[in-house]
């Protein structure tokens, strides 16, 4: 886990600074310095890792909140078909992409069919975040109908927490393909190792192992009061090995990346302020937020 | 009196001896000192700068009537070693900055040194001329040919003394063997070969042969996108001509034996320290990159310098922090590029003390036997002859004591990257940005 305590500059700024250094090195006298650029690429990788972790957690928290609120609403008016549209709207706002709504809709549709499994929110939308951070060649538009589970290895942990039955059940995920309406149940593993490798496959729409979810409707009805105590912000560590082959950035994409990062990630975090308000500290306790990396201010010496 | 071969750093009181270089604060880029090296006897001290020049200082013979005034170093020779070049194929300018100078052991009256920039290594011969032949029959003293009809007698030309002239001439140019930037050269103890290392490869040369070199280490991956580390420094063992060591940007050092195979990609021994997970930060990879590696004179130890510490290795490893107070500043140091500064380190003559530079024109001496450290400063303010250097202290946090300097007041533009220790005496050469300070042991 990267200790971000000492850094007043956040991951986003570090990414911009690093890209600027790489860009400047191309015009430096004496040619591009391989050693320095390699070291800068490590900082870039580390900052990106932290940034992505934060994004996942943010989106997950957001989706957890959305799900619970939606379920609460469902309790009152049991009309799942209307719900689909609602959730589509909300998740589109949250995640900045209509594609992501598929996951939530997928999550909730089985309700109407009385599917017995508990379905958890999968942050497949989280997948779109790192994908956008990659260079555009690597990542095509994510397939909307498939659940992409490749990113959030933390989430199996929270799956278990939501499950009302004992933990041996929480390793199964049910996935609904919205196009074919095929429901598949698979076992999930810890995918952090596969994350980067499978990212590309994700992009190409390959069948990736989907995370399991269970939706036990009954759980929510009876245990809704306990939900606020749960802090869904736990996340397992992203192993460094998930980025085992560190690549210095392909220089031909640097200009693209600079413009992406230079815009301050505004496209990716459009609703961040709203979300934080909405969350209102309800489902993500202060401790959980702190665990994402409390920034202490370093004394700036210059 | 000289107390043996460079004794303990903390029994010794250091005092100012000389400073060379321009006084004004406006530093010309070409004057930035990029390497400092004593020769094997310590009589000569060479510096290289960013402008491609080499300046050699010579120690004056001791003045017996004034033993407390240890001999001074005066300019002996200055020459332009490298010029800027342009690689037309890659549209790259090649900097003339001298990255390293290494002296060859003296074999005859002349002195030889190797100097290198990013791409080309040159062997220079520095020789003295203090007499010249006079009395030629066919030529005048100024070189004009005499009119043959005026020659009526024969005479034998004789050597007559002249003012000392020191000439530097390039004897060999070792070029076109490195695709990446050369960071190290090291002369073998066999006095016939030397190695040169760039980011990805190490080549072995024979001093007499310029059109051929042998590649002995190649860490370039098949796919450059898989690159995870580069070579940062390399050195031959001082006595074993088959052994050399190279350090990497990942903080590892590899000991290689050239007898094992032609290509020494497989190391004989790997030295590394596992990372402390509690210290992990955005900059962990940068600060663990080794900037210098040096064998001790006796060949039993190796010393490495990374951004925050000096490490002394044999089978165990002894970790000596240099400026640990910088750990909380890494973010700022990354922004202003100081985190990429490559500090060198050196041993004293009997391997009991090591020295390395820091910021604010501070340099550190770490005594191995007594496990004590001292921080000293190279400053124009302590420039009175034989003025004793006062130990400096940096206050990392909390209340600043009198005479301490706080971390925030450190001047990160004043860095000491290059230091050298006389091989036999307690005389040190410390290079600030564009000045060379010479300090010596206080003699009572």
């Amino acid at each position: 886990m990267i200790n971000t305590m000492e850094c007043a500059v956040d991951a986003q700024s570090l990414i911009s600074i690093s890209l600027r250094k790489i860009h400047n090195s191309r015009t430096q006298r004496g040619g591009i310095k391989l050693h320095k650029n390699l070291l800068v690429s490590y900082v870039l990788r580390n900052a990106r890792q932290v940034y992505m972790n934060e994004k996942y957690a943010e989106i997950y928290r957001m989706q957890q909140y959305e799900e619970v609120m939606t379920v609460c609403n469902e309790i009152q008016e049991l009309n799942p078909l209307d719900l689909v549209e609602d959730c589509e709207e909300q998740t589109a706002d949250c995640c900045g992409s209509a594609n992501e709504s598929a996951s939530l809709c997928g999550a909730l549709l089985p309700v109407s069919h009385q599917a017995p499994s508990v379905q958890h929110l999968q942050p497949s939308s989280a997948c779109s975040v790192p994908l956008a951070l990659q260079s555009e060649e690597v990542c095509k538009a994510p397939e909307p109908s498939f659940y992409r589970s490749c990113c959030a290895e933390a989430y199996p942990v929270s799956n278990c927490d939501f499950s009302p039955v004992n933990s041996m059940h929480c390793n199964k995920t049910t996935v609904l393909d919205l196009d074919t309406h095929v429901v598949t149940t698979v076992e999930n593993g810890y995918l952090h190792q596969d994350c980067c490798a499978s990212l590309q496959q994700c992009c190409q729409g390959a069948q990736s192992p989907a995370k399991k979810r269970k939706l036990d409707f009954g759980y929510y009805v009876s245990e809704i009061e306990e939900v606020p105590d749960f802090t869904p912000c736990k996340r397992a560590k992203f192993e460094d090995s998930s980025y085992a082959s560190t690549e210095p950035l392909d220089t031909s994409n640097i200009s693209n990346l600079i413009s992406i990062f230079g815009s301050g990630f505004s496209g990716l975090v459009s609703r961040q302020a709203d979300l934080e308000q909405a969350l209102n500290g309800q489902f993500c306790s202060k401790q959980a937020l702190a665990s994402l990396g409390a920034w202490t201010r370093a004394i700036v010496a210059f | 009196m000289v107390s043996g071969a460079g004794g303990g750093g903390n029994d010794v009181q250091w005092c100012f001896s000389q400073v060379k270089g321009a006084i004004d604060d406006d530093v010309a880029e070409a004057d930035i000192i990029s390497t400092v090296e004593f020769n094997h006897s310590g009589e000569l001290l060479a510096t290289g700068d960013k402008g491609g020049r080499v300046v050699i200082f010579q120690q004056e013979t001791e003045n017996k009537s004034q033993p407390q005034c240890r001999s001074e170093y005066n300019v002996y020779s200055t020459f332009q070693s490298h010029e800027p070049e342009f690689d037309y194929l890659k549209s790259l300018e090649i900097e003339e900055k001298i990255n390293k100078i290494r002296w060859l052991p003296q074999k005859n009256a002349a002195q030889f040194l190797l100097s290198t920039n990013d791409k080309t290594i040159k062997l220079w011969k520095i020789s003295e001329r203090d007499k010249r032949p006079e009395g030629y029959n066919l030529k005048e003293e100024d070189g004009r040919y005499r009119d043959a009809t005026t020659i009526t007698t024969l005479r034998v030309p004789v050597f007559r003394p002249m003012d000392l002239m020191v000439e530097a001439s390039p004897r060999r140019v070792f070029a076109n063997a490195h695709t990446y930037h050369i960071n190290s050269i090291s002369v073998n103890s066999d006095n016939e070969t030397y190695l040169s290392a760039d980011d990805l490869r190490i080549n072995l040369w024979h001093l007499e042969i310029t059109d051929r070199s042998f590649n002995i280490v190649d860490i370039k991956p098949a796919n450059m996108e898989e690159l995870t580390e580069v070579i940062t420094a390399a050195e031959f063992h001082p006595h074993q001509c088959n052994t050399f060591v190279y350090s990497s940007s990942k903080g590892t050092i590899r000991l290689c034996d050239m007898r094992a195979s032609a290509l020494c990609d497989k190391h004989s021994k790997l030295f590394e320290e596992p990372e402390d997970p509690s210290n992990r930060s955005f900059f962990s990879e940068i600060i663990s990159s080794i900037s210098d590696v040096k064998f001790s004179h006796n060949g039993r130890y190796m010393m490495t310098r990374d951004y925050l510490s000096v490490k002394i290795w044999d089978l165990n490893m002894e970790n000596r922090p240099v400026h640990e107070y910088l750990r909380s500043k890494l973010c700022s140091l990354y922004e202003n590029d100081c985190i990429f500064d490559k500090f060198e380190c050196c041993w004293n003559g009997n391997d009991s003390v090591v020295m390395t530079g820091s910021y604010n024109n501070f340099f550190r001496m770490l005594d191995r036997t007594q496990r004590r450290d001292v921080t000293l400063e190279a400053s124009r303010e302590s420039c009175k002859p034989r003025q004793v250097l006062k130990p400096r202290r940096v206050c990392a946090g909390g209340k600043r004591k009198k005479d301490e300097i706080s971390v925030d007041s450190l001047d990160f533009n004043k860095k000491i990257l290059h230091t050298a220790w006389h091989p036999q005496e307690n005389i040190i050469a410390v290079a600030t940005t564009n000045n060379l300070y010479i300090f010596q042991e206080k003699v009572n």
Side-chain angles (χ1 to χ4, degrees):
Chain A
M1 175 71 102
I2 289 173
N3 176 12
T4 52
M5 300 291 280
E6 68 210 30
C7 200
V9 182
D10 62 8
Q12 182 176 333
S13 314
L14 266 185
I15 291 174
S16 314
I17 292 170
S18 303
L19 288 173
R20 207 182 314 127
K21 286 187 194 291
I22 293 175
H23 186 70
N24 289 342
S25 76
R26 298 165 94 191
T27 50
Q28 263 167 17
R29 214 176 151 234
I32 296 176
K33 293 187 180 8
L34 184 63
H35 184 199
K36 183 175 175 183
N37 278 280
L38 182 66
L39 295 178
V40 170
S41 75
Y42 275 113
V43 176
L44 196 57
R45 179 199 72 162
N46 294 339
R48 187 178 73 174
Q49 209 167 312
V50 168
Y51 179 79
M52 278 158 57
N53 286 349
E54 292 179 343
K55 281 297 137 214
Y56 292 158
E58 198 64 60
I59 289 163
Y60 181 66
R61 278 198 309 274
M62 185 168 60
Q63 288 193 340
Q64 286 294 324
Y65 174 72
E66 292 287 343
E67 177 183 83
V68 172
M69 290 312 292
T70 314
V71 167
C72 286
N73 293 336
E74 272 192 349
I75 293 164
Q76 286 145 21
E77 21 164 342
L78 293 166
N79 189 351
L81 291 174
D82 288 346
L83 217 60
V84 169
E85 286 156 48
D86 287 346
C87 83
E88 262 181 345
E89 254 175 77
Q90 285 173 335
T91 52
D93 286 347
C94 290
C95 310
S97 161
N99 295 329
E100 276 43 74
S101 60
S103 58
L104 191 49
C105 298
L108 293 169
L109 273 172
V111 172
S112 60
H113 303 288
Q114 296 295 313
S117 49
V118 171
Q119 205 161 26
H120 291 281
L121 263 180
Q122 276 304 326
S124 65
S125 54
C127 208
S128 72
V129 174
L131 294 179
L133 290 176
Q134 301 270 353
S135 87
E136 281 146 6
E137 285 83 359
V138 172
C139 196
K140 316 284 187 280
E143 287 289 316
S145 54
F146 279 98
Y147 220 31
R148 222 140 299 122
S149 58
C150 54
C151 299
E153 59 123 0
Y155 302 101
V157 176
S158 34
N159 280 345
C160 297
D161 293 324
F162 265 124
S163 170
V165 297
N166 76 36
S167 54
M168 75 171 118
H169 289 289
C170 70
N171 282 335
K172 284 200 174 26
T173 303
T174 303
V175 175
L176 172 71
D177 180 343
L178 291 179
D179 283 345
T180 62
H181 291 283
V182 170
V183 174
T184 28
T185 305
V186 288
E187 283 205 334
N188 74 358
Y190 285 94
L191 291 180
H192 67 281
Q193 293 283 351
D194 303 331
C195 183
C196 278
S198 60
L199 267 177
Q200 247 187 329
Q201 282 134 22
C202 291
C203 298
Q204 290 150 14
Q207 287 268 13
S208 43
K211 286 244 193 290
K212 301 170 186 187
R213 292 145 118 233
K214 289 184 183 180
L215 177 62
D216 183 351
F217 199 55
Y219 168 73
Y220 285 110
V221 173
S222 56
E223 314 234 12
I224 201 72
E225 286 82 39
E226 291 179 22
V227 170
D229 295 335
F230 170 70
T231 55
C233 307
K234 289 182 208 168
R235 57 198 160 98
K237 290 180 194 177
F238 260 88
E239 298 290 338
D240 275 0
S241 57
S242 67
Y243 293 91
S245 62
T246 308
E247 311 130 11
L249 289 177
D250 182 357
T251 51
S252 64
N253 292 323
I254 285 177
S255 317
N256 284 339
L257 287 165
I258 289 176
S259 56
I260 291 170
F261 293 122
S263 70
F265 305 98
S266 52
L268 301 171
V269 295
S270 51
R271 295 293 298 249
Q272 185 166 344
D274 294 354
L275 292 172
E276 278 173 358
Q277 243 179 342
L279 282 174
N280 207 17
Q282 280 175 2
F283 299 111
C284 217
S285 68
K286 289 262 188 293
Q287 289 88 359
L289 278 171
S291 73
L292 296 176
W295 308 104
T296 58
R297 300 246 156 241
I299 303 161
V300 178
F302 314 102
Chain B
M1 274 307 295
V2 176
S3 63
N10 291 307
D11 301 338
V12 175
Q13 281 201 299
W14 292 94
C15 56
F16 172 80
S17 177
Q18 298 169 272
V19 60
K20 312 281 187 193
I23 298 177
D24 40 285
D25 288 334
D26 203 12
V27 177
E29 184 144 340
D31 291 341
I32 294 174
I33 298 172
S34 50
T35 182
V36 179
E37 187 80 1
F38 278 102
N39 76 338
H40 293 269
S41 66
E43 185 204 354
L44 298 176
L45 178 60
T47 62
D49 65 22
K50 224 172 166 205
R53 289 168 306 207
V54 171
V55 179
I56 302 176
F57 302 91
Q58 184 191 39
Q59 193 178 26
E60 298 297 331
T61 45
E62 239 174 87
N63 190 340
K64 297 238 165 29
S65 63
Q66 283 186 302
Q68 71 273 20
C69 185
R70 184 91 48 67
S71 12
E72 289 192 337
Y73 282 83
N74 296 318
V75 176
Y76 179 66
S77 172
T78 305
F79 56 93
Q80 186 75 31
S81 171
H82 287 71
E83 299 274 5
E85 285 172 53
F86 199 80
D87 181 337
Y88 293 98
L89 224 49
K90 295 177 193 157
S91 287
L92 277 183
E93 195 182 356
I94 301 168
E95 275 191 285
E96 67 276 28
K97 173 167 75 89
I98 307 295
N99 292 335
K100 283 287 180 333
I101 289 174
R102 290 288 183 263
W103 290 92
L104 269 56
Q106 191 173 10
K107 277 198 276 197
N108 52 38
Q111 301 277 359
F112 288 85
L113 61 78
L114 287 169
S115 70
T116 185
N117 68 351
D118 284 338
K119 296 287 183 184
T120 305
I121 307 134
K122 293 187 184 179
L123 176 69
W124 288 88
K125 177 181 178 184
I126 296 104
S127 48
E128 291 182 1
R129 194 195 290 270
D130 61 359
K131 33 188 178 297
R132 63 158 182 240
E134 285 177 16
Y136 283 107
N137 288 287
L138 299 176
K139 279 195 268 188
E140 301 287 359
E141 296 307 329
D142 58 12
R144 280 180 303 134
Y145 281 96
R146 287 169 74 185
D147 180 3
T149 54
T150 62
I151 301 170
T152 52
T153 57
L154 274 181
R155 56 184 176 170
V156 177
V158 292
F159 277 104
R160 296 221 188 277
M162 60 177 259
D163 288 339
L164 179 66
M165 199 167 69
V166 180
E167 298 171 318
S169 57
R171 306 300 287 185
R172 305 269 187 278
V173 177
F174 304 90
N176 302 320
H178 286 280
T179 310
Y180 300 94
H181 295 112
I182 296 175
N183 52 56
S184 312
I185 47 175
S186 176
V187 183
N188 203 348
S189 52
D190 66 6
N191 288 338
E192 288 185 356
T193 56
Y194 75 94
L195 63 77
S196 58
D198 67 26
D199 292 317
L200 297 178
R201 297 189 177 101
I202 302 179
N203 293 334
L204 182 70
W205 301 83
H206 192 284
L207 284 163
E208 299 292 329
I209 299 167
T210 59
D211 61 355
R212 221 176 315 154
S213 74
F214 292 95
N215 176 243
I216 51 177
V217 173
D218 188 339
I219 64 166
K220 185 178 180 190
N223 183 359
M224 275 299 271
E225 286 177 8
E226 292 160 22
L227 182 74
T228 57
E229 66 181 328
V230 296
I231 296 168
T232 52
E235 196 181 54
F236 266 118
H237 189 279
H239 312 307
Q240 295 166 15
C241 58
N242 56 293
T243 306
F244 66 93
V245 76
Y246 70 92
S247 60
S248 84
S249 56
K250 272 192 170 170
T252 62
I253 39 182
R254 288 173 169 81
L255 196 68
C256 298
D257 185 340
M258 293 195 291
R259 297 171 301 189
S261 67
L263 192 61
C264 297
D265 281 358
K266 281 198 177 57
H267 49 264
S268 305
K269 256 199 182 72
L270 172 71
F271 297 82
E272 66 182 330
E273 188 193 18
E275 190 192 347
D276 179 3
S278 65
N279 265 340
R280 181 134 181 82
S281 78
F282 288 117
F283 312 106
S284 293
E285 287 83 3
I286 300 185
I287 64 173
S288 61
S289 176
I290 292 174
S291 51
D292 194 15
V293 66
K294 291 267 173 38
F295 273 106
S296 62
H297 290 95
N298 58 19
R300 282 172 52 199
Y301 304 99
M302 293 176 297
M303 164 166 58
T304 57
R305 175 68 154 98
D306 51 59
Y307 192 65
L308 295 179
S309 68
V310 152
K311 293 185 172 135
I312 297 162
W313 308 75
D314 53 12
L315 288 176
N316 304 315
M317 186 273 293
E318 183 190 330
N319 190 349
R320 303 293 287 271
V322 174
H323 38 214
E324 186 65 24
Y325 46 78
L326 294 185
R327 194 181 286 274
S328 56
K329 301 266 181 255
L330 293 181
C331 219
S332 311
L333 294 166
Y334 179 71
E335 278 187 87
N336 65 14
D337 269 2
C338 282
I339 207 174
F340 298 106
D341 287 334
K342 295 186 179 160
F343 292 94
E344 292 176 6
C345 50
C346 61
W347 296 85
N348 73 340
N350 67 6
D351 299 329
S352 60
V353 186
V354 301
M355 172 168 62
T356 190
S358 179
Y359 293 104
N360 209 69
N361 282 349
F362 286 171
F363 58 100
R364 300 262 292 150
M365 295 210 177
L366 312 163
D367 191 323
R368 300 196 55 227
T369 46
Q370 293 168 28
R371 291 217 55 112
R372 279 188 290 161
D373 318 329
V374 69
T375 304
L376 301 171
E377 183 180 1
S379 144
R380 288 265 175 187
E381 283 155 32
S382 324
C383 271
K384 295 200 251 316
R386 294 188 298 284
Q387 177 179 1
V388 174
L389 294 180
K390 220 174 67 159
R392 307 299 310 249
R393 256 187 265 284
V394 177
C395 166
K399 212 160 175 246
R400 188 176 75 88
K401 300 194 192 83
K402 182 175 175 290
D403 281 352
E404 279 187 353
I405 179 169
S406 83
V407 186
D408 302 320
S409 316
L410 295 175
D411 187 342
F412 289 86
N413 289 320
K414 293 189 176 162
K415 50 194 90 169
I416 292 178
L417 303 175
H418 312 285
T419 58
W421 204 312
H422 190 292
Q424 277 128 38
E425 297 173 29
N426 273 344
I427 301 175
I428 53 175
V430 169
T432 59
T433 308
N434 64 336
N435 284 175
L436 184 71
Y437 286 78
I438 299 175
F439 300 104
Q440 61 188 42
E441 182 182 13
K442 181 169 159 65
V443 181
N444 293 316

